[in-house]
Amino acid sequence: MKTFQGRALTGGAWKGEAIVSRQGVNTLATFQKSALMKAKEVVAADQNNPDLYGKVITGKALCLPQTIGSTTGGLVIQTGCYMKAHPAVFLFSEHIDSLAASGIVLARVWENSDVIAVDQLGQDFLDAVKTGDTVEVQDDGTVTIG
Amino acid sequence: MAEYKMRLTGEQQAILDGAQGETMAKVMKTVVMFGDIFGAKRLVPVTHKSGHLVTSFGIGLLKPLYKTMDELIDAGIKVQGDFTVDPRPIDYKNVKCSPLEKLLFNKLLYSRQNDYEQQLQKVGIKNKNGFTCACYLPEVGNTPKEGNILSWAESSAVVFANSVLGARCNRNSGMLDLFGSVLGLVPEFGLLTDEGRKASWRVTLKTTRKPTAQVLGSAIGMRVMEAVPYVFGLDEYLGTELNDETMAYLKDFGAATASNGAVGLYHINNLTPEAKRLGEELIRPDAKEYIIDDAELERVMQSYPVMWKNPAAKPGMCFIGCPHASFGQLKEWTENIESGLRDTGRKAVSITTIFTTAPDVAEAFRQSEYYPRLMATGAKLTSICPLMYTNNPLTKKHNIATNSNKLRTYSASRFYEDADLLGIIVGKGERK
């Protein structure tokens, strides 16, 4: 078991499966196909992200450095939360980027979403966590793998 | 509301507390929460009053967007100045679609387009031509000055405004762009601060020829992600003065840095305004190094996956103008296609060739001698967003080619450098 301390941006306790991207997650490219198809689960569609491509991210703990790409990113996360198709938890190894931060805030303020976000978990966290691992998140931003 | 760390003025606190209604309080709460995440100590005035929004498309699915817009409109809320917005998604006149594609666009994908455009009018869009990702082009006129503080989104526009115009804007997301324009305030952090505009990457160009803007930008974006790069060596190819040609190059370069990574600001030694003024003072002492030579650009190009069903297939369609092409780029492509057709002995382009540009640029271009010449080649001119067009899964069968790394990233389009794309367009190597 390994424990990491991050900053709880939108707190909450949660336990479930991790899905990991070692590279920045392009939110629009990841979500757009499933969103357009009105799918109940988001299957990551970013051709440039082999870690996530073709995998379901809905209801999981998405572990990533940051998000990248189009500035629609925040609205895409908000929409994902509105549709209840979002990752249950965002676990950022780095400081959250402005697009993901927008999405998390928009989801909280305008959708009353329960999406959980923790950032600044560190590179060691991203090195340690693997897709399929069980992660447990505490209100205070503590994340335990395994 | 005491949980917020940001220091607000009495007036700002009153808005947060509901003095201007519940909806304005939610707008303020969103902006303050967002700023708090980044340690912003205060809100600062937006000094360029024309905003730019990223969300231009009425995708039925974006229900939170329409709901929020309705809430703003019902509360009588508008932006303080005006705004432009990204391009419209469809133009059946110039971008032909099959009946099935039209059905998909009208009924499934962009079913809320007309409603959404009415919402945009009600909250303050500049005019009917205000639909472009390249709002800073002179014909459009949403062109901030150095030092202006903006509330913009659209990654390619933000990186251009910051880097080439010297304005100050964070990489805002959709809705935050609008909220900043409504409040006339944005949180002060990141690219709004002198410290946040310093480079943490020193990029040195060691190529034997002028790099393709979209490939160089892609390489840098993929490497530095959201950091600020300071680029040496590009001035040898672009010169030291910003003109239409260099600005068009930097437009495409920046779009690739922003879409293949998350760059919001870059500095080009001896060329972009802050680099000219401050030089290497802009580089952090602990900046990382990235050296780019011909082999590195080739490696990056080879890393692009080909998403066509049959990678060996011939392209059936191409888009040029993502971000929207400048007048000069349209003129140059017109001349190149004419010249290429003369070489191949063809009268018209060999594949469906679509140029995308801002409505105002298109209007100016239509008045020029080049428009009939471009039309005579069989190419089309439109003002849509090619990305929005390619959102339609049916477009996969078209085997779309493009010289845009942004379009490649978000669609199944295949990237070609300009010379190769021109060869395809004019049917080089094909039998007539």
Side-chain angles (χ1 to χ4, degrees):
Chain A
M1 240 187 234
K2 286 186 176 174
T3 300
F4 299 86
Q5 184 63 54
R7 174 176 66 149
L9 298 167
T10 50
W14 185 88
K15 186 175 181 180
E17 185 184 339
I19 182 156
V20 182
S21 173
R22 312 280 169 204
Q23 65 187 73
V25 172
N26 192 318
T27 311
L28 177 60
T30 299
F31 279 74
Q32 68 174 349
K33 190 174 174 187
S34 297
L36 288 168
M37 295 300 111
K38 301 186 182 180
K40 289 184 178 168
E41 287 189 325
V42 173
V43 178
D46 181 5
Q47 55 187 287
N48 296 304
N49 189 330
D51 293 338
L52 296 185
Y53 186 68
K55 293 176 183 155
V56 172
I57 61 172
T58 300
K60 296 182 181 174
L62 178 59
C63 307
L64 69 166
Q66 288 185 319
T67 70
I68 60 170
S70 166
T71 46
T72 56
L75 188 55
V76 171
I77 291 173
Q78 182 190 4
T79 301
C81 292
Y82 171 85
M83 294 167 61
K84 314 273 188 218
H86 58 289
V89 182
F90 288 85
L91 298 177
F92 298 92
S93 61
E94 298 177 18
H95 193 295
I96 191 171
D97 59 280
S98 62
L99 304 183
S102 304
I104 301 294
V105 172
L106 286 165
R108 279 277 170 152
V109 176
W110 296 84
E111 309 307 327
N112 293 316
S113 170
D114 57 0
V115 63
I116 297 167
V118 178
D119 77 344
Q120 299 180 57
L121 283 159
Q123 185 59 42
D124 289 349
F125 164 73
L126 204 58
D127 291 341
V129 70
K130 296 189 298 295
T131 291
D133 282 351
T134 298
V135 293
E136 189 165 2
V137 183
Q138 306 295 336
D139 274 333
D140 65 353
T142 304
V143 176
T144 305
I145 305 169
Chain B
M1 299 293 176
E3 71 264 35
Y4 302 118
K5 297 180 194 119
M6 196 185 295
R7 206 168 49 243
L8 300 178
T9 65
E11 188 183 353
Q12 292 161 3
Q13 184 66 51
I15 295 172
L16 189 61
D17 293 343
Q20 293 186 21
E22 189 185 338
T23 305
M24 273 299 265
K26 280 167 72 177
V27 170
M28 181 62 92
K29 182 179 177 182
T30 306
V31 171
V32 171
M33 275 180 75
F34 175 67
D36 261 3
I37 288 176
F38 294 92
K41 291 190 169 52
R42 61 176 184 162
L43 298 172
V44 290
V46 173
T47 55
H48 177 74
K49 292 295 186 185
S50 289
H52 184 81
L53 311 189
V54 66
T55 314
S56 58
F57 38 89
I59 293 180
L61 188 77
L62 290 178
K63 288 179 182 165
L65 170 66
Y66 312 122
K67 180 168 63 77
T68 306
M69 293 290 274
D70 276 339
E71 202 170 327
L72 296 175
I73 292 162
D74 289 347
I77 293 169
K78 295 182 76 167
V79 299
Q80 293 197 0
D82 58 16
F83 62 84
T84 48
V85 65
D86 268 10
R88 294 183 170 103
I90 42 185
D91 169 10
Y92 294 136
K93 186 179 167 196
N94 293 301
V95 185
K96 299 291 182 200
C97 293
S98 69
L100 191 57
E101 285 174 334
K102 283 185 182 175
L103 185 71
L104 194 62
F105 279 136
N106 293 340
K107 299 293 180 192
L108 286 176
L109 293 181
Y110 304 119
S111 57
R112 297 291 302 268
Q113 188 63 32
N114 291 338
D115 295 343
Y116 181 54
E117 288 191 22
Q118 284 177 18
Q119 288 182 320
L120 290 173
Q121 280 177 23
K122 287 175 182 165
V123 297
I125 191 169
K126 186 180 174 191
N127 57 39
K128 68 178 173 56
N129 276 1
F131 289 84
T132 176
C133 52
C135 59
Y136 44 79
L137 290 173
E139 295 84 354
V140 185
N142 188 356
T143 316
K145 293 185 170 57
E146 187 172 356
N148 280 171
I149 292 173
L150 320 181
S151 182
W152 283 18
E154 168 48 46
S155 59
S156 66
V158 168
V159 73
F160 187 92
N162 274 318
S163 311
V164 182
L165 303 177
R168 296 193 169 209
C169 186
N170 280 312
R171 275 171 53 88
N172 298 304
S173 176
M175 294 315 295
L176 266 294
D177 49 9
L178 179 62
F179 291 172
S181 292
V182 163
L183 293 168
L185 296 166
V186 286
E188 187 181 41
F189 70 93
L191 299 177
L192 266 56
T193 68
D194 290 344
E195 192 58 26
R197 296 178 76 84
K198 288 194 172 167
S200 50
W201 279 87
R202 175 189 285 266
V203 179
T204 306
L205 202 58
K206 291 188 174 174
T207 56
T208 56
R209 64 184 178 103
K210 180 180 173 181
T212 299
Q214 299 259 10
V215 179
L216 180 62
S218 163
I220 293 174
M222 287 179 179
R223 179 60 64 95
V224 313
M225 301 309 291
E226 72 162 358
V228 178
Y230 190 107
V231 183
F232 291 90
L234 194 53
D235 53 321
E236 289 177 24
Y237 298 108
L238 300 185
T240 57
E241 297 300 326
L242 290 170
N243 54 38
D244 288 351
E245 193 180 341
T246 53
M247 286 204 277
Y249 183 99
L250 294 176
K251 164 178 76 72
D252 293 345
F253 164 80
T257 67
S259 58
N260 286 216
V263 174
L265 164 68
Y266 57 82
H267 302 294
I268 308 293
N269 194 43
N270 292 324
L271 182 58
T272 52
E274 282 158 285
K276 284 185 95 160
R277 190 157 43 81
L278 299 168
E280 295 190 33
E281 280 178 39
L282 284 167
I283 305 173
R284 294 178 192 277
D286 59 347
K288 296 174 193 165
E289 288 273 359
Y290 181 30
I291 293 171
I292 298 179
D293 56 15
D294 295 340
E296 174 63 357
L297 292 180
E298 185 59 27
R299 182 194 68 75
V300 169
M301 284 259 295
Q302 294 302 322
S303 75
Y304 301 152
V306 178
M307 301 302 287
W308 294 354
K309 200 170 179 182
N310 174 11
K314 178 180 179 291
M317 182 177 196
C318 78
F319 276 103
I320 298 167
C322 174
H324 273 170
S326 69
F327 190 101
Q329 288 177 313
L330 292 174
K331 184 179 150 189
E332 187 180 353
W333 271 101
T334 302
E335 290 169 339
N336 289 344
I337 292 176
E338 285 177 331
S339 170
L341 289 175
R342 278 195 296 275
D343 291 345
T344 57
R346 284 180 168 272
K347 287 185 177 169
V349 293
S350 71
I351 61 171
T352 302
T353 301
I354 298 168
F355 287 91
T356 52
T357 190
D360 287 315
V361 175
E363 278 189 14
F365 192 71
R366 286 192 189 99
Q367 303 301 316
S368 77
E369 59 161 305
Y370 292 95
Y371 180 69
R373 288 167 56 182
L374 182 63
M375 294 301 102
T377 70
K380 299 287 184 188
L381 183 65
T382 181
S383 292
I384 66 162
C385 171
L387 170 58
M388 292 299 109
Y389 171 78
T390 52
N391 261 342
N392 169 359
L394 296 176
T395 60
K396 270 196 173 180
K397 68 180 182 190
H398 295 317
N399 291 341
I400 296 171
T402 184
N403 62 349
S404 165
N405 233 322
K406 180 168 184 171
L407 183 58
R408 175 196 70 78
T409 300
Y410 296 124
S411 73
S413 305
R414 183 170 182 173
F415 179 81
Y416 291 90
E417 291 190 281
D418 285 357
D420 295 332
L421 191 56
L422 178 64
I424 292 165
I425 291 169
V426 301
K428 197 172 175 182
E430 286 182 12
R431 295 173 67 182
K432 279 186 281 182

